[in-house]
Amino acid sequence: RYEHVKSTAQYPHGEKDSYRKMCRFQSGYLHRHPLLADLDFYWRIEPDVEYYCDMNYDPFVFMQQNGLKYGWNIAMPEFMATIPTLWNTTMQFVTEHPELLASDSLWPWLLDEHGNYNGCHFWSNFEIVDLSFYRSAAYQTFFDYLDRAGGFFYERWGDAPVHSIAAALFLNASQVHYFDDIGYFHPSVLTCPRDARTKGTCVCDLNKSFVQDGICTIRFLEVKQSIVNPNATKLARLGPVHYTEPIIHSVLPAINTI
């Protein structure tokens, strides 16, 4: 079966054992590596990436002082062909473990206006994480459940949607931070701060940056504001937000969307 999946896959890296193993490792085993044992935070930095802005603060200290658990920089929809059963598997997990959900979670960020899974995920090639999140019983229980389902190999579940769904499930909205002040490039996507020209601390080309206006970024800002600061007088980048692949319907009870 596995060989058939690889030989017929019509998506990037679909034929590769190594890519699947990397995604599974990043999802469930990186934070268990002995080299990270004495660390509280980690910042994932990959080959061939570029950083374009001067930073006048320590992001680890910033996260610690503000009670943040997960920091991201780029968000976009996942290629649905790689995760056809991930959402249904997550729904089964939530049905079995409702006690693990955070009280003020970002769960609505994962849903479109019709309550369908929108595929939004944080690109995990940039993530700054309080490792207590990945080491938590909630996250480990979730990963083990997904691992037993087999989707890392029989499909091509990536660590990015796994991390993102977990953050939306188990963290409060106030614990997830968008590092929109960091100019960053990962082949083939660039994000550049909106005030890069006026502040003069970045060398990225704002004209080539588009993800700030992407549906997943806008949706995140909307949802987080509705939870953390619902009475704000200045709205956060409100839509309209349109999704092109509302494929899987959510059956999660008692979760309100905005």
Side-chain angles (χ1 to χ4, degrees), residues 199-253:
K199 284 194 173 180
T201 58
C202 303
V203 294
C204 47
D205 186 349
L206 192 58
N207 293 324
K208 296 180 180 179
S209 177
F210 65 90
V211 290
Q212 298 98 321
D213 295 314
I215 54 177
C216 294
T217 302
I218 294 173
R219 181 69 174 162
F220 171 85
L221 295 173
E222 291 179 337
V223 170
K224 182 171 180 177
Q225 184 184 70
S226 73
I227 297 169
V228 175
N229 191 16
N231 297 318
T233 57
K234 182 179 179 181
L235 298 179
R237 302 280 307 159
L238 288 177
V241 181
H242 301 289
Y243 298 95
T244 57
E245 296 182 279
I247 295 177
I248 307 171
H249 185 68
S250 171
V251 295
L252 184 68

Side-chain angles (χ1 to χ4, degrees), residues 67-255:
L68 302 171
K69 299 292 186 181
Y70 190 91
W72 62 278
N73 182 257
I74 291 175
M76 59 180 60
E78 178 62 298
F79 189 33
M80 291 296 197
T82 66
I83 54 168
T85 67
L86 176 58
W87 186 252
N88 285 341
T89 305
T90 299
M91 292 293 95
Q92 294 165 7
F93 174 84
V94 168
T95 300
E96 295 177 25
H97 298 280
E99 75 283 357
L100 297 180
L101 296 180
S103 57
D104 292 317
S105 76
L106 282 165
W107 190 256
W109 173 63
L110 298 172
L111 307 176
D112 70 7
E113 61 269 29
H114 303 296
N116 298 321
Y117 178 49
N118 57 37
C120 282
H121 69 294
F122 307 123
W123 250 23
S124 56
N125 48 71
F126 177 113
E127 60 178 15
I128 305 177
V129 185
D130 181 336
L131 288 168
S132 67
F133 168 45
Y134 290 157
R135 293 166 179 157
S136 68
Y139 183 87
Q140 281 302 140
T141 303
F142 180 56
F143 169 76
D144 291 342
Y145 192 94
L146 297 183
D147 202 25
R148 289 193 297 271
F152 288 106
F153 291 96
Y154 291 120
E155 297 177 11
R156 205 225 66 195
W157 294 355
D159 51 281
V162 170
H163 287 177
S164 303
I165 290 174
L169 278 170
F170 310 129
L171 298 178
N172 289 320
S174 61
Q175 295 175 304
V176 182
H177 180 68
Y178 173 28
F179 280 98
D180 61 345
D181 57 336
I182 298 178
Y184 173 70
F185 172 80
H186 181 283
S188 55
V189 177
L190 166 70
T191 180
C192 188
R194 295 182 182 281
D195 57 2
R197 291 194 182 99
T198 58
K199 284 194 173 180
T201 58
C202 303
V203 294
C204 47
D205 186 349
L206 192 58
N207 293 324
K208 296 180 180 179
S209 177
F210 65 90
V211 290
Q212 298 98 321
D213 295 314
I215 54 177
C216 294
T217 302
I218 294 173
R219 181 69 174 162
F220 171 85
L221 295 173
E222 291 179 337
V223 170
K224 182 171 180 177
Q225 184 184 70
S226 73
I227 297 169
V228 175
N229 191 16
N231 297 318
T233 57
K234 182 179 179 181
L235 298 179
R237 302 280 307 159
L238 288 177
V241 181
H242 301 289
Y243 298 95
T244 57
E245 296 182 279
I247 295 177
I248 307 171
H249 185 68
S250 171
V251 295
L252 184 68
I255 295 292

